[in-house]
Amino acid sequence: MRRILVGIKRVIDYNVRVRVRPDGAGVVTDGVKMSINPFDEIALEEALRIRERGEADEVVAVSVGPDETQQQLRNALAMGADRAILVKSDQRAEPPVVAQAFLKLIERESPLLVILGKQAIDDDAGQTGPMLAALWERPQATFASKLELKDGIARVTREVDAGLETIEVDLPAVCTTDLRLNEPRYIKLPDIMKAKKKPLDVTDLAALGVDAAPALKVLKFEPPPQRQKGVMVKDAAELVAALRQKGLV
């Protein structure tokens, strides 16, 4: 079966203003709207379009995260994914861990293509796709703004610093999506009802044989400096110093 795996990450909705917790140990998530990472929505939309063109038979949405991530996977099913897989992780899963989890699922699912968003809007790491391609030892095409499949080859137009670059990679491969690849479809109420009957399998990192131990230790979160009168400052003293330097005080 020609299968496409699509990565789905649960993030704070892009319309929500992110607030750092008073103790600096993280960001406030209690009562905050959570959504599918926007770049992952683009990845899912592209997979659905490929299936609708008859170039794939099944689209599987995959996420590594807490149990609450089932809501985002149900939204992916409502968009049109055929089934979903949640790999449970109660702690923050770093890109190497997510890549290893995807590799284990690839060994089980044998996909034609794996599509991920180029980055997540929470950490902006952009590492999972390239790491997965390295572990899988398959080609990768990142920052895709156009994707075509034909005769076992993916032709990808990439957004690079100098403009656009078009490459061809042999399938199976990893592709990460850029903003201009497509516009994700809206979810309709009948699709939400249908999604409740679609399969959503739940496993965990231990069952896949993946070590979830973090390699990084987050010491502290800080909000970005506030802009005042065109000057980036962290506190009042820095503002006064900046204004004096400009001869304004």
Side-chain angles (χ1 to χ4, degrees):
M1 177 178 287
R2 298 171 300 174
R3 182 175 291 120
I4 300 177
L5 295 188
V6 181
I8 299 294
K9 186 175 184 181
R10 182 177 188 260
V11 299
I12 295 176
D13 189 87
Y14 69 93
N15 286 313
V16 174
R17 182 179 180 181
V18 178
R19 294 178 292 125
V20 176
R21 288 165 46 181
D23 60 2
V27 298
V28 177
T29 57
D30 294 340
V32 173
K33 180 182 179 182
M34 308 295 286
S35 301
I36 297 175
N37 176 49
F39 289 103
D40 295 345
E41 278 191 313
I42 293 171
L44 177 57
E45 175 64 29
E46 193 64 22
L48 297 175
R49 294 186 184 190
I50 292 171
R51 187 194 62 192
E52 290 165 356
R53 294 197 300 263
E55 298 168 356
D57 304 310
E58 185 182 41
V59 174
V60 183
V62 178
S63 188
V64 180
D67 194 58
E68 292 83 357
T69 309
Q70 291 191 45
Q71 178 58 53
Q72 282 66 49
L73 287 175
R74 286 295 177 191
N75 288 342
L77 293 171
M79 278 186 66
D82 298 289
R83 56 189 176 93
I85 301 173
L86 171 62
V87 181
K88 288 185 62 175
S89 175
D90 293 329
Q91 61 183 354
R92 175 179 171 271
E94 297 174 353
V97 173
V98 177
Q100 292 176 56
F102 265 82
L103 180 64
K104 295 296 184 180
L105 294 176
I106 285 170
E107 294 171 355
R108 188 174 78 186
E109 301 287 346
S110 300
L112 171 74
L113 182 65
V114 178
I115 309 181
L116 309 168
K118 72 170 184 177
Q119 65 194 75
I121 62 172
D122 52 2
D123 58 16
D124 281 332
Q127 298 173 341
T128 303
M131 286 182 176
L132 174 59
L135 292 172
W136 193 15
E137 297 183 344
R138 293 302 306 169
Q140 62 174 312
T142 56
F143 313 124
S145 61
K146 186 176 181 181
L147 173 60
E148 301 171 296
L149 305 184
K150 186 177 181 181
D151 299 329
I153 292 176
R155 183 179 177 88
V156 181
T157 300
R158 305 177 61 241
E159 298 199 2
V160 297
D161 291 342
L164 298 177
E165 174 187 67
T166 300
I167 63 173
E168 291 185 349
V169 296
D170 294 330
L171 298 174
V174 175
C175 179
T176 69
T177 60
D178 215 319
L179 186 65
R180 281 156 287 278
L181 179 60
N182 60 52
E183 183 176 342
R185 66 195 67 188
Y186 289 103
I187 299 175
K188 301 176 182 178
L189 181 59
D191 297 325
I192 296 175
M193 302 306 294
K194 293 177 183 177
K196 295 180 179 180
K197 299 180 180 179
K198 292 183 178 181
L200 195 165
D201 298 327
V202 179
T203 184
D204 56 37
L205 292 170
L208 295 178
V210 176
D211 183 5
L216 301 175
K217 181 179 180 181
V218 178
L219 300 179
K220 188 178 181 181
F221 283 76
E222 292 183 359
Q226 300 298 311
R227 182 181 295 274
Q228 298 183 21
K229 297 183 179 181
V231 181
M232 295 297 292
V233 297
K234 293 182 179 179
D235 52 39
E238 186 176 330
L239 174 61
V240 172
L243 293 176
R244 283 176 177 169
Q245 185 177 11
K246 291 179 176 294
L248 300 178
V249 294

